[in-house]
Amino acid sequence: MNSISRADKALLKIAFCRIDVTAMATATGAVVGLLLFLATAVLLIKGASPGVEVGPHLEMLGIYLPGYTVTWWGALLGAVYGMLLGAAAGAIIAGMWNFTHYLYMTAMVIRASWMRMMVD
Amino acid sequence: MDRNVYQIDVKDNPAAETEVDERLLRTVIRFNTLLTAIVMGFLGGAGLFFMTLLSLNRGLPNPGHYMNLLGVFMPGYEVSPTGAWIGLLWGSVTGAICGAVLYRIYARNLRLHVKDFILRNNSGDASYHLIVPIGGSSLGLALGTLTAGSLIVTTNWLVFRGTAEESVHARLLENFLPGYSVSLPGSLIGAIQLFVFVYLSCLLWSWIYNGIISVRHR
């Protein structure tokens, strides 16, 4: 039987590594919060013609994010919402990734043990 | 056993075994592609399902006025109880396809990640990590390609349907992607900008993620 090479071990480590839930949530929350802030800020800086509302469509996010408006205050509030939602999404993705890998690894170990028992 | 291998040049550590078994690599990519598709499919389906229900139950005078526009790309979808289930199906399929494409592109640099991993862990198996850094550049390439490609496909779907002129909401992207328009050239200009934007966002994301794990798992 061939021994597994160091590169193969590294590949398996990379492929089956866990995702750090805290780091994933923090990073995703930070980036999503920043993006929502920038999206609002771009519209505010570009502005609109006199008498025309700025960013009426982006403001529809207020349906899902209570209090959000296309204003500088809304941009900050949106950043906070973005951070919370991004963090939640990041944590769910990381959790599901880890869970599906854990299930697979467990199934693989059980199968290997069962096969060894059968051989013995 | 014949091993079709990929030789990695590790000048600093010539004694190390640095061959990746191609069959193992393909199996790993196939497996992780499947898992990414399952995770993203679940999130896409559940996300669209609950967004639809939320839109329905917010007590608005005209629920789903804008979300109904998704029906242009997802036939049968609308903001209604039945539409929520159709959205669940569409969201799952779309999410799964996106997840699979995302991992496939990300995995193109898997060999480089292996090389990087070995170089960083020259001390051997004692440095076994369960958490490894995520390649921001690879992720940016994958996510950037996916989002840019999606913009090209969706924009040109509107052109193909003959509703480009009426697509006032799609044109709102001009606010964020200067030069974008609902046309083939406009979609390409927008896609390039979107790719760059997403790529940079992924670099930022991985910088934060890798920074945190290097502190937490030192």
Side-chain angles (χ1 to χ4, degrees):
Chain A
M1 188 176 155
N2 290 320
S3 62
I4 189 163
S5 76
R6 196 170 165 205
D8 289 344
K9 280 184 190 171
L11 174 64
L12 290 171
K13 284 172 190 171
I14 290 169
F16 294 99
C17 69
R18 278 197 305 119
I19 293 181
D20 186 312
V21 177
T22 307
M24 179 82 163
T26 310
T28 311
V31 172
V32 173
L34 179 67
L35 291 182
L36 194 48
F37 178 83
L38 287 179
T40 314
V42 164
L43 292 182
L44 287 171
I45 291 166
K46 286 181 79 170
S49 310
V52 178
E53 192 185 356
V54 178
H57 293 91
L58 191 61
E59 199 155 294
M60 298 294 287
L61 276 179
I63 294 172
Y64 298 104
L65 313 175
Y68 173 79
T69 52
V70 181
T71 58
W72 286 109
W73 168 245
L76 290 175
L77 187 63
V80 173
Y81 272 127
M83 286 174 75
L84 293 175
L85 289 175
I92 290 170
I93 291 171
M96 284 193 67
W97 175 272
N98 293 340
F99 181 65
T100 48
H101 275 76
Y102 176 77
L103 279 184
Y104 177 79
M105 299 289 276
T106 306
M108 207 161 60
V109 169
I110 291 171
R111 186 168 162 235
S113 304
W114 183 78
M115 286 180 79
R116 200 179 302 125
M117 271 173 52
M118 294 299 284
V119 170
D120 291 343
Chain B
M1 185 177 81
D2 288 327
R3 281 165 58 107
N4 179 18
V5 293
Y6 180 86
Q7 183 70 40
I8 298 170
D9 179 26
V10 186
K11 291 174 183 168
D12 297 333
N13 190 14
E17 269 190 287
T18 55
E19 295 174 346
V20 175
D21 188 324
E22 278 294 318
R23 283 200 308 178
L24 180 64
L25 182 67
R26 277 198 298 272
T27 306
V28 158
I29 290 175
R30 202 164 47 238
F31 167 71
N32 269 345
T33 300
L34 178 68
L35 284 196
T36 314
I38 290 171
V39 170
M40 298 300 285
F42 175 81
L43 289 177
L48 191 51
F49 181 76
F50 287 113
M51 289 274 282
T52 307
L53 291 185
L54 193 60
S55 185
L56 264 176
N57 297 308
R58 284 276 296 169
L60 300 170
N62 189 6
H65 181 62
Y66 290 99
M67 275 192 79
N68 277 335
L69 292 172
L70 280 177
V72 171
F73 306 105
M74 302 173 171
Y77 174 78
E78 59 180 6
V79 178
S80 68
T82 313
W85 290 103
I86 296 171
L88 175 71
L89 184 67
W90 272 114
S92 302
V93 171
T94 312
I97 292 171
C98 288
V101 171
L102 187 70
Y103 191 80
R104 279 279 165 171
I105 301 174
Y106 180 80
R108 288 176 70 86
N109 287 332
L110 212 47
R111 290 187 187 97
L112 285 175
H113 295 311
V114 170
K115 180 183 175 183
D116 188 51
F117 185 89
I118 292 172
L119 287 173
R120 283 169 187 265
N121 294 275
N122 269 342
S123 54
D125 284 345
S127 59
Y128 182 87
H129 295 301
L130 281 173
I131 308 269
V132 297
I134 291 180
S137 184
S138 303
L139 184 67
L141 187 68
L143 206 53
T145 305
L146 187 66
T147 50
S150 301
L151 184 66
I152 292 171
V153 169
T154 50
T155 302
N156 288 290
W157 175 243
L158 296 174
V159 175
F160 177 74
R161 290 176 79 237
T163 54
E165 291 300 315
E166 304 152 35
S167 303
V168 289
H169 299 101
R171 277 208 294 273
L172 291 171
L173 279 175
E174 285 171 17
N175 285 320
F176 305 103
L177 306 170
Y180 171 80
S181 62
V182 188
S183 64
L184 177 61
S187 69
L188 293 175
I189 293 169
I192 291 168
Q193 293 176 74
L194 188 61
F195 177 86
V196 172
F197 190 67
V198 172
Y199 185 84
L200 293 175
S201 299
C202 286
L203 288 185
L204 173 65
W205 181 90
S206 66
W207 180 72
I208 298 171
Y209 178 86
N210 294 337
I212 293 172
I213 65 165
S214 70
V215 172
R216 279 169 53 85
H217 303 279
R218 188 175 289 163

